[in-house]
Amino acid sequence: MDNSAVFWSRALTELTLTFHIIFATLGVGVPLIILIAQYVGYKKNDEHYTLLARRVARGFTITVAVGVVTGTIIGLQLSLLWPQFMELAGQTIALPLFMETFAFFFEAIFLGIYLYTWDRFKNPKYHMLLLIPVAIGAFMSAIFITIVNAFMNAPRGFDLIGGEIVNIQPILAMFTPAMPTKVGHVLTSSFMTVAFTLAAIAAYKLLKGEDHIYHKKSLNLMMKLGLIFSIATAVVGDFSAKYLAEYQPEKLAAAEWHFETEAGADLIFFGILDGDEVKYEIRMPKVLSFLISNNFNAEVTGLNDFPEDERPPLITHYYFNIMVAIGSLMIFLAMGYVVGKWRGWQWITSRWFRWLIVLGGPLSFIAIETGWWLAEQGRQPWILYGIMRTEQGATTATGVEWLFIAFAVVYLILGIGSVVVLRRMFKNNPVSKELALRKGGEQ
Amino acid sequence: MSLEIVGIFVLWIFLFGYVIVASIDFGAGFFNAYSLLTGKNNILSKIIKRYLSPVWEITNVFLVFFFVGIVGFFPQTAYYYGTILLVPVSIALILLAIRGSYYAFESYSGLRGHKGYATAYGIAGLLIPASLSVVLAISEGGFVTMHENGPKLDYSALFTSTLAWSIVVLSLTAVLYISAVFLNWYANKAGDLKASDLMRKYALIWAIPLIVSAMGIILEMRNTNSWHYQNILDLTWLFIVSGILFIITIWLIWRKKSYGLSVVVMILQFATAFFAYGISHYPYLLYPYLTIHDSFTNESMAIALVLAFIAGLFLLIPSMYLVFKLFIFHKGYISGEDETHV
């Protein structure tokens, strides 16, 4: 087996997915947020919210384009870089993959219609309703593709007899134990990230002196939505940890740096590893036991109980901590804003607080990335948990390292291009100008 | 009809759908760049933009549908084609990425009309069908050898193969021809006679290399007298039907009437040739390693996929109808009277 091909296949897959999920997260979350904004605008007869929906939709055209091309890339790279895995997956998990393309099709059709029919219907309600199939298509494709990933973590729906896969049940393969928490966490964290990203934009505009009521309304709506979705994300995240303790204990043990099996296990936050010893950590006594079983004295399996060649990398600890830390920070931030707004506290309009909100946008994306790295690297050395090791699935072709470089250049161009185009799009067309233009047109 | 045949039939229909819609798209990109460079852009750009904008994403889905579907119905293709196509398909993917994103960046950012971008966009569009069509040459057999690690593609044999190059030429000319015939009709429908005249000229010009390269491929296959040529002989009549349809299209365009009908006949012409090619390829997916029978997925998955496909069609057909009604057949939209973009 050619180890460099395995290494570079993993590297290229990670590179593509890391880049793609930025746009995929936006792709899942933005349609719902546009729908909510447009609905609020319609209900309150407030054109600020309608304009918010319109501007977000305009920016969405760019991120969707990059999401579509990178999604196509990862879709084919699965077969190119992991041919033996896909051969097996084709027999067991092709159904959700296939259904994902239908969801994607459905979304693409209605998004195209939505984008090109603004003000075309006499009753604006019809145009708004077009967003429902767009949002459904976006959710469904996220759900189906996450089902495939859940299968890789908890393969079900077939029997393994003498190395042969038999008695395949496609429906059972979709509903694995990993599926509910994975799907839930992906959806809620996407909504949360998009809400905080839009809040960050509004806060930034206010900081830059564009003291327009539009930005205040946008900030307000997004922070409220952010609070709801961040709490939902944390709740589902808690279920995910409980799932791991039961079905993939070595992933949890690696992420928690929990080496010895013991009752009343401590939760370790950050720290560094010196040999087998953890230093400079924040230690919360017995919290890990409580976290996974609601019992402070429950026994937690340690990493040393697993064979050495089945242990995930220990770096996942940092991914886990970063994700959780950011998630918690965002809940506090959103709660502070919402409560402050309600009680009339002045500090929520202060510059430092608005800068924190601005920071919350990129932080949410860091949490998404680290969360996925935790989920994926935490499943090593398996590509198909307990069934197929990663090196068994990788391509036997040579030259993957050159493709890695080529794709890295492409993503760099796409990344810079999106930022430049999005900035240009909104910089030359501020809210006040667009509002004045629309009012002028109506009179 | 066995499930294998149903599976490959479904996939072949979607691949055909991709060939037609992508050809219109790729060809339009080339004509747009060409018109910019020759200063005729005010004639063509508007029409091309009007057609492409709402549908470019849908075009892409046809491709995704095909490659996901083939792994589902014929999982072993992932192993064989996945391994040997690493480089050619990666190149196509990079081109697709550049093209798809440039399109969006240009359309929505006010950069429209930049000669450099338009040229890169037009050329990328022509290279994509070229890089994807080598798969057709590979499937004929002779370019893949089996090693203990897995299958390997013989690049030098592929690059020196006249058959492979003929297929590339055919795919390029077909792209330009299909696109010109369609845009001719579309411009005419929008009442843009200048654009229509230009596209009519292009359609007639590109018809010549198209038919020459198609004939050339048949001749080359006859010289090697491969398994595939033997199968083609049995289906000669279908290729003749396709040829007659081609002549009808040219005649319709020549006398400047019924452009709508010319598009329909053109699609029928390619459909006949495409399906005749597909049938003559039976039963091989990759000669001689992979047939549709030994690579077929298990029965329960096949049934699930067919059911999902039927359910999906109930969703897609009405939605596609809506797209056609709102854009392609909507007078106010194509003539550019309604500017209703977000």
Side-chain angles (χ1 to χ4, degrees):
Chain A
M1 184 53 61
D2 182 1
N3 277 322
S4 98
V6 179
F7 175 81
W8 287 108
S9 293
R10 285 189 60 193
L12 180 50
T13 309
E14 177 158 359
L15 178 74
T16 303
L17 278 173
T18 299
F19 190 67
H20 176 63
I21 53 173
I22 296 172
F23 299 92
T25 302
L26 293 169
V28 175
V30 168
L32 181 72
I33 303 286
I34 301 177
L35 178 60
I36 292 172
Q38 205 162 342
Y39 179 77
V40 174
Y42 173 75
K43 261 283 164 268
K44 289 189 172 172
N45 201 11
D46 182 334
E47 65 176 326
H48 288 134
Y49 290 102
T50 315
L51 183 65
L52 175 66
R54 186 172 189 162
R55 285 171 72 90
V56 175
R58 210 178 291 147
F60 192 47
T61 55
I62 301 297
T63 61
V64 162
V66 181
V68 167
V69 296
T70 52
T72 309
I73 290 174
I74 189 64
L76 266 164
Q77 271 181 356
L78 283 178
S79 292
L80 297 172
L81 299 173
W82 311 97
Q84 292 170 80
F85 163 69
M86 281 305 275
E87 185 184 0
L88 198 146
Q91 293 174 54
T92 48
I93 201 72
L95 184 61
L97 268 176
F98 197 59
M99 285 173 22
E100 200 248 344
T101 60
F102 279 110
F104 177 32
F105 219 138
F106 194 58
E107 184 193 346
I109 288 172
F110 281 94
L111 183 64
I113 297 176
Y114 174 80
L115 291 175
Y116 284 88
T117 53
W118 194 275
D119 288 340
R120 192 157 135 185
F121 298 99
K122 283 207 178 69
N123 185 346
K125 198 165 128 191
Y126 292 125
H127 184 248
M128 182 174 75
L129 290 177
L130 286 169
L131 276 171
I132 293 174
V134 177
I136 291 176
F139 302 165
M140 291 318 280
S141 56
I143 290 172
F144 287 131
I145 208 68
T146 310
I147 282 176
V148 175
N149 183 269
F151 175 83
M152 296 163 83
N153 280 282
R156 287 298 136 96
F158 61 88
D159 293 321
L160 203 60
I161 297 176
E164 287 283 305
I165 288 194
V166 289
N167 298 335
I168 291 155
Q169 293 165 283
I171 305 288
L172 207 63
M174 286 174 64
F175 296 94
T176 56
M179 176 245 172
T181 46
K182 275 219 177 250
V183 167
H185 206 52
V186 164
L187 288 180
T188 49
S189 62
S190 294
F191 301 147
M192 162 188 160
T193 302
V194 172
F196 285 132
T197 304
L198 293 172
I201 293 171
Y204 182 76
K205 288 287 178 191
L206 288 168
L207 277 168
K208 286 286 147 186
E210 248 191 69
D211 200 20
H212 200 287
I213 184 78
Y214 166 91
H215 296 304
K216 287 182 182 157
K217 284 178 178 171
S218 167
L219 181 65
N220 219 344
L221 177 65
M222 293 310 154
M223 289 307 275
K224 279 184 198 155
L225 292 174
L227 178 64
I228 297 168
F229 293 133
S230 56
I231 291 174
T233 306
V235 170
V236 185
D238 178 56
F239 289 137
S240 304
K242 291 182 169 63
Y243 161 80
L244 284 184
E246 192 168 342
Y247 290 92
Q248 267 178 308
E250 71 274 35
K251 192 184 213 171
L252 186 77
E256 294 287 0
W257 283 357
H258 182 66
F259 298 106
E260 298 298 334
T261 300
E262 59 183 350
D266 301 346
L267 184 79
I268 294 173
F269 227 56
F270 291 102
I272 57 165
L273 211 53
D274 184 13
D276 262 357
E277 218 175 318
V278 183
K279 280 185 182 168
Y280 312 115
E281 82 281 16
I282 307 166
R283 189 174 281 272
M284 295 178 225
K286 300 194 179 188
V287 171
L288 181 60
S289 287
F290 182 74
L291 194 72
I292 62 172
S293 61
N294 298 334
N295 170 6
F296 281 109
N297 290 311
E299 192 178 82
V300 184
T301 320
L303 201 57
N304 293 345
D305 280 13
F306 297 93
E308 212 159 318
D309 66 339
E310 286 182 17
R311 292 182 200 162
L314 293 174
I315 191 175
T316 52
H317 177 69
Y318 293 113
Y319 302 150
F320 186 60
N321 286 172
I322 292 170
M323 173 183 78
V324 171
I326 292 175
S328 315
L329 174 76
M330 294 314 293
I331 292 178
F332 286 125
L333 205 63
M335 200 175 283
Y337 180 89
V338 171
V339 173
K341 184 89 189 161
W342 172 48
R343 308 291 303 179
W345 292 336
Q346 285 305 307
W347 54 265
I348 61 160
T349 57
S350 64
R351 290 187 70 82
W352 65 267
F353 191 73
R354 281 186 175 158
W355 273 116
L356 273 181
I357 296 174
V358 173
L359 206 62
L363 280 179
S364 301
F365 275 101
I366 292 173
I368 292 272
E369 298 287 2
T370 48
W372 271 114
W373 294 338
L374 163 70
E376 297 307 290
Q377 293 182 21
R379 138 169 84 94
Q380 292 309 314
W382 303 104
I383 191 167
L384 202 53
Y385 183 71
I387 309 269
M388 185 186 253
R389 293 178 77 97
T390 306
E391 63 268 18
Q392 293 170 313
T395 183
T396 52
T398 47
V400 187
E401 57 271 36
W402 298 107
L403 295 175
F404 178 88
I405 296 170
F407 277 104
V409 172
V410 170
Y411 301 148
L412 189 70
I413 296 171
L414 292 186
I416 294 173
S418 330
V419 173
V420 169
V421 170
L422 281 170
R423 273 183 60 97
R424 184 193 292 255
M425 213 173 192
F426 292 105
K427 212 176 164 190
N428 302 333
N429 192 16
V431 173
S432 47
K433 189 174 152 194
E434 200 170 336
L435 273 173
L437 209 67
R438 282 184 68 72
K439 284 207 175 111
E442 276 161 18
Q443 277 157 8
Chain B
M1 204 155 51
S2 66
L3 277 171
E4 287 99 307
I5 306 286
V6 174
I8 197 73
F9 188 67
V10 164
L11 294 174
W12 208 237
I13 287 177
F14 267 82
L15 189 59
F16 179 69
Y18 181 67
V19 167
I20 296 295
V21 292
S23 294
I24 296 171
D25 187 358
F26 296 148
F30 176 80
F31 290 131
N32 182 45
Y34 183 73
S35 67
L36 261 180
L37 294 176
T38 53
K40 290 176 184 157
N41 54 314
N42 46 354
I43 306 179
L44 278 186
S45 289
K46 241 197 259 157
I47 279 297
I48 289 174
K49 184 191 165 193
R50 291 253 129 206
Y51 165 72
L52 287 183
S53 300
V55 299
W56 77 269
E57 249 192 294
I58 301 174
T59 305
N60 200 62
V61 186
F62 275 96
L63 176 67
V64 177
F65 193 100
F66 176 75
F67 71 69
V68 169
I70 198 161
V71 171
F73 280 105
F74 305 98
Q76 280 188 28
T77 54
Y79 175 64
Y80 282 93
Y81 278 117
T83 309
I84 57 185
L85 292 179
L86 179 65
V87 174
V89 172
S90 291
I91 293 171
L93 280 177
I94 289 172
L95 292 167
L96 268 176
I98 291 172
R99 199 171 183 281
S101 50
Y102 264 159
Y103 178 74
F105 289 177
E106 236 199 319
S107 308
Y108 301 118
S109 69
L111 279 174
R112 185 159 281 278
H114 188 284
K115 278 184 186 170
Y117 288 150
T119 311
Y121 177 74
I123 291 173
L126 288 188
L127 293 177
I128 294 165
S131 59
L132 289 177
S133 63
V134 297
V135 180
L136 297 177
I138 293 169
S139 75
E140 297 292 321
F143 301 110
V144 176
T145 47
M146 288 304 288
H147 295 260
E148 52 182 315
N149 276 339
K152 273 210 158 53
L153 184 61
D154 185 349
Y155 284 101
S156 60
L158 189 64
F159 277 111
T160 53
S161 151
T162 45
L163 179 69
W165 286 107
S166 311
I167 291 176
V168 168
V169 172
L170 177 68
S171 73
L172 285 183
T173 49
V175 160
L176 295 170
Y177 173 74
I178 292 171
S179 189
V181 172
F182 177 86
L183 290 173
N184 173 38
W185 164 73
Y186 192 69
N188 191 261
K189 199 170 162 59
D192 190 339
L193 295 180
K194 267 188 176 167
S196 174
D197 273 352
L198 195 61
M199 288 328 291
R200 175 177 171 268
K201 215 166 73 192
Y202 290 156
L204 294 173
I205 290 171
W206 286 105
I208 300 161
L210 173 76
I211 202 68
V212 171
S213 56
M215 294 298 213
I217 288 173
I218 302 276
L219 282 176
E220 266 165 63
M221 290 178 107
R222 195 179 74 163
N223 288 341
T224 51
N225 200 21
S226 65
W227 63 277
H228 195 179
Y229 184 70
Q230 292 301 323
N231 289 349
I232 285 177
L233 282 184
D234 299 337
L235 291 169
T236 312
W237 65 275
L238 268 179
F239 288 98
I240 291 173
V241 168
S242 178
I244 293 169
L245 292 169
F246 172 74
I247 293 166
I248 294 174
T249 315
I250 297 297
W251 181 69
L252 286 172
I253 295 174
W254 186 261
R255 31 158 263 173
K256 296 191 184 182
K257 274 175 201 164
S258 8
Y259 286 149
L261 186 63
S262 77
V263 173
V264 175
V265 179
M266 179 269 290
I267 290 175
L268 284 177
Q269 170 218 331
F270 276 93
T272 325
F274 195 76
F275 278 87
Y277 170 83
I279 297 165
S280 66
H281 217 287
Y282 178 85
Y284 291 104
L285 289 170
L286 173 62
Y287 182 83
Y289 304 109
L290 213 56
T291 72
I292 65 168
H293 300 292
D294 56 29
S295 65
F296 196 55
T297 188
N298 63 86
E299 201 184 336
S300 43
M301 182 55 80
I303 292 168
L305 290 179
V306 169
L307 289 178
F309 176 73
I310 293 167
L313 282 188
F314 277 103
L315 219 60
L316 290 189
I317 292 171
S319 335
M320 289 293 270
Y321 171 77
L322 200 59
V323 170
F324 274 87
K325 199 171 161 268
L326 285 171
F327 300 114
I328 300 182
F329 292 128
H330 192 274
K331 199 92 193 145
Y333 176 79
I334 49 176
S335 61
E337 281 159 27
D338 305 344
E339 184 53 63
T340 54
H341 183 255
V342 151

